[in-house]
Amino acid sequence: MATALTQCWYTRIHSPERQRHRNADGSTGSVCRHCHEPIVSWDRSGWALARGFDVSRLAATASGRFLTLYDSAGDFVLHRYAVAHLPDEDAVDAFKQRLRDEYGIDDPDSTLELRDSAPVAKRARINRGGPDIRRSA
């Protein structure tokens, strides 16, 4: 008896169905259109299975700020870099650029991403040196 395997089994990339919902913890939930399993996203760009233990989300909420070197093709974390020791946002930006250069993240064929655990609004507020006054659309 043959078993058909879904696209996400091979690629490890889950695609949400059209219907999505907001979870109480701020994440977005849906069902994978290929394997029909519940999936969750924190940024609406990367989706993971909703069952189980999300180590990346736990680290982001339980520890200080860090940068994550992530391989999107293999769907795994290569390295996490703490940035609490850096004096200001300019130093963090310089460190990010050094990592981008060292790992070739900006190369067109690269599957590596550099993710920052600080929320986007917080990074914008830090960069401007004041409270975040943008209106949400």
Side-chain angles (χ1 to χ4, degrees):
M1 179 174 168
T3 302
L5 298 174
T6 62
Q7 174 182 337
C8 54
W9 187 87
Y10 289 104
T11 64
R12 295 185 190 158
I13 299 172
H14 296 278
S15 301
E17 289 183 341
R18 184 175 293 254
Q19 185 177 358
R20 300 172 188 182
H21 60 275
R22 176 69 63 185
N23 295 322
D25 59 5
S27 64
T28 302
S30 187
V31 174
C32 178
R33 70 176 81 177
H34 305 294
C35 66
H36 307 288
E37 291 289 327
I39 55 177
V40 65
S41 176
W42 293 95
D43 58 4
R44 293 188 187 169
S45 64
W47 294 83
L49 290 172
R51 296 186 187 133
F53 196 65
D54 189 344
V55 176
S56 295
R57 182 64 185 162
L58 177 65
T61 57
S63 65
R65 182 176 176 190
F66 57 89
L67 304 175
T68 302
L69 182 61
Y70 177 76
D71 183 352
S72 60
D75 192 29
F76 61 90
V77 172
L78 295 171
H79 201 287
R80 284 206 171 104
Y81 299 92
V83 295
H85 66 286
L86 298 173
D88 56 19
E89 197 62 22
D90 290 335
V92 172
D93 289 340
F95 184 57
K96 284 181 186 180
Q97 189 58 50
R98 192 183 89 195
L99 292 173
R100 296 183 85 72
D101 294 342
E102 181 178 340
Y103 290 102
I105 294 171
D106 296 326
D107 293 343
D109 296 332
S110 178
T111 60
L112 300 179
E113 300 173 18
L114 189 60
R115 297 179 177 179
D116 192 337
S117 68
V120 175
K122 181 178 180 182
R123 283 183 293 202
R125 188 171 52 248
I126 291 169
N127 285 336
R128 283 196 315 271
D132 191 3
I133 57 173
R134 292 179 295 160
R135 297 188 189 274
S136 54

